[in-house]
Amino acid sequence: MTGDGADAPEVPGSPGPPGRGGERGAGAPRTDSGDDDLVHAVGIGPGNTELLTRRAGRLLDEADVVVGFETVVDFVASETDAELITCGYRDEPEALGRFAARVADGARGVAVLMGDPNHSGYQFLGKVEAAVDAPVAVVPGISSVQVAASRARTPMEESVFETLHVRGDVSPALARLGRAVGDRNLIVIPRPYDWMPEDIAADLVDAGADRCLDALVCERLTHPDEQITRTDLGTLADGGGGTAPDTGAGGDDPGDSAFSDLSVLVVHA
């Protein structure tokens, strides 16, 4: 990943409510409906191009212009000869404006999002649709959530999934996790860097969760440096169990967590 809040931390590729400008409504992005659409929002998978779907690859190959957060575009830059428009949060409106202008001139446009747009990416998706002022066809991708469930042997139908990779208030999602912990498996996308795996674990323990529950932190899934840390909820809550020296948790800096910003937390019931 992930509602949309103006004062939320800057999280690359963070999602939010689908629809025009991030609001759910009749103009919400639609599912993929064919190659004739001028604009597609494509899930590129977890970053390993071997998990880029054939359809996503074909759309990238045929695109005239591609827009997305810089770290996302970098993963697929070699898959297309299109003009690449990259952005962060500060220049996002300007980048989307350039993208919309190209589309208005008849260019085939592709917006790229990490994983699957419906798992953690719908905030950016809504902004793309608002910028081009037209429906955007959504092309699903493979999410790191699916990969984490496979690595952890955790059936999705027996799990509660939440993404904290959002701008805005995450307390409703944390409350849902607190109610489900111990009864169902939890699969959570953290938010860099104020709601990292240690912070989520501490919140769950504070809510009464058993400290002995198995916890796995899956980092950089499908990448060459993939790492899976197996620990328990209590140890994780105390700030330990990571792949880097214990630096504590709860801050807004990368050094405040032992884990990568590309992490998925799994807690077994």
Side-chain angles (χ1 to χ4, degrees), residues 129-155:
E129 188 182 42
V132 300
D133 194 28
V136 175
V138 180
V139 180
I142 296 173
S143 171
S144 60
V145 170
Q146 297 166 272
V147 181
S150 296
R151 297 284 195 271
R153 299 294 192 272
T154 306

Side-chain angles (χ1 to χ4, degrees), residues 1-2 144-145 148 159-165 173-174 177 185-191 195-197 200-201 204 216-218 263-267:
M1 307 152 97
T2 331
S144 60
V145 170
S159 306
V160 169
F161 163 67
E162 293 286 351
T163 177
L164 306 184
H165 204 283
L174 291 168
L177 292 171
N185 304 311
L186 307 182
I187 303 177
V188 189
I189 299 178
R191 180 169 74 184
W195 281 105
M196 293 297 281
I200 300 166
L204 292 170
L216 296 83
V217 181
C218 306
S263 297
V264 180
L265 170 64
V266 179
V267 180

Side-chain angles (χ1 to χ4, degrees), residues 28-42 55 58-59 108 134-140:
R30 55 202 170 90
T31 55
D32 180 25
S33 60
D35 289 331
D36 291 336
D37 295 292
L38 276 181
V39 184
H40 288 81
V42 172
R55 178 150 178 73
R58 183 167 68 252
L59 289 168
R108 287 184 175 270
V136 175
V138 180
V139 180

Side-chain angles (χ1 to χ4, degrees), residues 94-176:
E94 186 272 336
L96 289 176
R98 289 169 53 201
F99 178 75
R102 288 294 314 278
V103 170
D105 287 339
R108 287 184 175 270
V110 171
V112 290
L113 304 94
M114 285 299 292
D116 175 72
N118 296 299
H119 279 81
S120 188
Y122 41 89
Q123 244 177 13
F124 185 65
L125 176 55
K127 292 176 182 178
V128 171
E129 188 182 42
V132 300
D133 194 28
V136 175
V138 180
V139 180
I142 296 173
S143 171
S144 60
V145 170
Q146 297 166 272
V147 181
S150 296
R151 297 284 195 271
R153 299 294 192 272
T154 306
M156 291 294 295
E157 67 269 21
E158 297 176 6
S159 306
V160 169
F161 163 67
E162 293 286 351
T163 177
L164 306 184
H165 204 283
V166 300
R167 285 183 283 176
D169 183 16
V170 297
S171 58
L174 291 168
R176 289 190 292 269

Side-chain angles (χ1 to χ4, degrees), residues 40-264:
H40 288 81
V42 172
I44 69 161
N48 184 329
T49 54
E50 290 188 359
L51 295 180
L52 186 70
T53 67
R54 290 183 179 181
R55 178 150 178 73
R58 183 167 68 252
L59 289 168
L60 284 166
D61 183 61
E62 296 172 352
D64 299 310
V65 58
V66 172
V67 69
F69 284 91
E70 183 173 8
T71 52
V72 182
V73 173
D74 285 348
F75 283 125
V76 295
S78 62
E79 306 295 318
T80 182
D81 293 324
E83 176 189 357
L84 304 179
I85 300 177
T86 62
C87 65
Y89 275 110
R90 289 178 176 83
D91 60 348
E92 182 183 51
E94 186 272 336
L96 289 176
R98 289 169 53 201
F99 178 75
R102 288 294 314 278
V103 170
D105 287 339
R108 287 184 175 270
V110 171
V112 290
L113 304 94
M114 285 299 292
D116 175 72
N118 296 299
H119 279 81
S120 188
Y122 41 89
Q123 244 177 13
F124 185 65
L125 176 55
K127 292 176 182 178
V128 171
E129 188 182 42
V132 300
D133 194 28
V136 175
V138 180
V139 180
I142 296 173
S143 171
S144 60
V145 170
Q146 297 166 272
V147 181
S150 296
R151 297 284 195 271
R153 299 294 192 272
T154 306
M156 291 294 295
E157 67 269 21
E158 297 176 6
S159 306
V160 169
F161 163 67
E162 293 286 351
T163 177
L164 306 184
H165 204 283
V166 300
R167 285 183 283 176
D169 183 16
V170 297
S171 58
L174 291 168
R176 289 190 292 269
L177 292 171
R179 290 192 295 269
V181 66
D183 294 325
R184 297 177 66 82
N185 304 311
L186 307 182
I187 303 177
V188 189
I189 299 178
R191 180 169 74 184
Y193 285 94
D194 59 339
W195 281 105
M196 293 297 281
E198 303 96 325
D199 310 304
I200 300 166
D203 189 78
L204 292 170
V205 169
D206 287 346
D210 185 347
R211 293 176 57 91
C212 295
L213 292 174
D214 291 335
L216 296 83
V217 181
C218 306
E219 302 178 76
R220 300 188 60 80
L221 289 167
T222 77
H223 293 254
D225 55 348
E226 175 180 314
Q227 179 77 35
I228 298 179
T229 300
R230 300 175 185 271
T231 182
D232 58 71
L233 197 64
T235 301
L236 187 60
D238 292 339
T243 58
D246 182 8
T247 56
D252 296 327
D253 186 88
D256 293 324
S257 174
F259 300 102
S260 163
D261 59 333
L262 295 178
S263 297
V264 180

